[in-house]
Amino acid sequence: MTTHNFNAGPAVLPRAVLERAQAELLDYHGRGMSILEMSHRSKEYEAVNQSAEARFKALLGLGDDYRVLFMQGGASAQFALLALNFLRPATTANYVLTGSWGEKALEEAKRIGATHVAATAAEGNYRTVPAPGDLQLSERPAYLHITSNETIQGVQWPTFPDSGAVPLVADMSSDILSRPFDASRFALIYAGAQKNIGPSGVTAVIVRESFVAEARKDMPAIFSYQTILKNNSLYNTPPVYAVYLVDLVIAWIEGLGGLTAMAERNAAKAAAIYDTIDGSNGFYRGHAEVASRSPMNVTFRLPSPELEKQFVAEAQAQGMVGLAGHRSVGGIRASIYNALEPASCTVLAQFMRDFAQHNG
Ligand SMILES: *Cc1c(COP(=O)(O)O)cnc(C)c1O
């Protein structure tokens, strides 16, 4: 039976990438050893590190004023590092809340300095993103932080707010490299790799160099973006295998035609499931408002928690795994990241129609 992997993260990886990694595992480029066993100072790993950054920047259309850093500690470490590096006593960190991850980012900043909620969709139970006009920034904002795609609620910004001269920062963990966008509008973007671009263990941090130059200097070296940047992500031992896989995943995205092709593929995948929700006469109820629906995490409910349990179990028996909603919100969540094949969404949509017919 084919497995259809709807896990939220760690998540499905492109089959071709896993096969390439498998083929190269024991003998990397004729060196008689695995890349797992090589020094991170070797010319082989330096090439991987450089390639991953160069490919990343090329896909995002970024120039010399940007760098891509590879760091550890997940997006959760970035919640804290962002505030530690850029929040000063006289400034205020601004956050827009569109779901659970934005709340967590804010909680970390609160431990470090002054914060302000520029807009929140919490009252509506996080079904939408605020209208651009609804953002109210504080005095002396250090930065404005958004979560481009809220993985738990299934809410995505269709277009990004204009922060003017205020540095715009985004957690893009669950939709990075899933669609084209103007990355040059952001001062800093971070993304744990394990949703869309690789395995867990590495976090990509895309930074405008002039923004990093303004960061606090009174930081432990390992927590300083300046240190990581100055050392090309090789200040200490990086997660070499994770970066190697990220490089392969980005090459795979290039091979499919880049971000525009990826966005088209993702939109078609998402439409297969959202159309099924919308055509179910209310049996399935989508969580997000239509204009804010995520093409990465499709969240919906069934008429009862019992039916949701039955749905997850029956889907699992047919090879569709990972469909239970996040433990904090319940319901169903189909995570359909870049690497998930369109056929898996077709199979899920058919299963949903059959399930509704038998249980509606
Ligand atoms: C998964 C996720 C996180 C947390 O990532 P970790 O790597 O576990 O720290 C943060 N933000 C978003 C948007 C996520 O999807």
Side-chain angles (χ1 to χ4, degrees), residues 73-77 79 101 147 149-151 171 173-174 192 194-195 203:
S76 301
F79 294 165
W101 289 115
T147 311
N149 184 72
E150 279 286 0
T151 322
D171 175 0
S173 294
S174 51
Q194 71 270 24
K195 274 101 185 198
T203 304

Side-chain angles (χ1 to χ4, degrees), residues 271-348:
I273 304 174
Y274 285 119
D275 287 351
T276 304
I277 293 173
D278 294 341
S280 71
N281 289 318
F283 182 80
Y284 299 111
R285 283 166 296 125
H287 176 77
E289 284 182 13
V290 172
S292 305
R293 279 175 165 175
S294 167
M296 299 276 99
N297 310 96
V298 182
T299 50
F300 56 96
R301 307 216 68 120
L302 273 67
S304 72
E306 292 69 36
L307 276 172
E308 287 167 351
K309 259 182 117 166
Q310 187 189 332
F311 179 96
V312 170
E314 285 185 22
Q316 172 125 21
Q318 296 185 33
M320 289 165 267
V321 302
L323 287 166
H326 191 268
R327 56 198 150 79
S328 63
V329 295
I332 307 293
R333 170 175 57 173
S335 296
I336 56 172
Y337 301 121
N338 280 353
L340 188 78
E341 286 298 323
S344 293
C345 293
T346 315
V347 168
L348 174 60

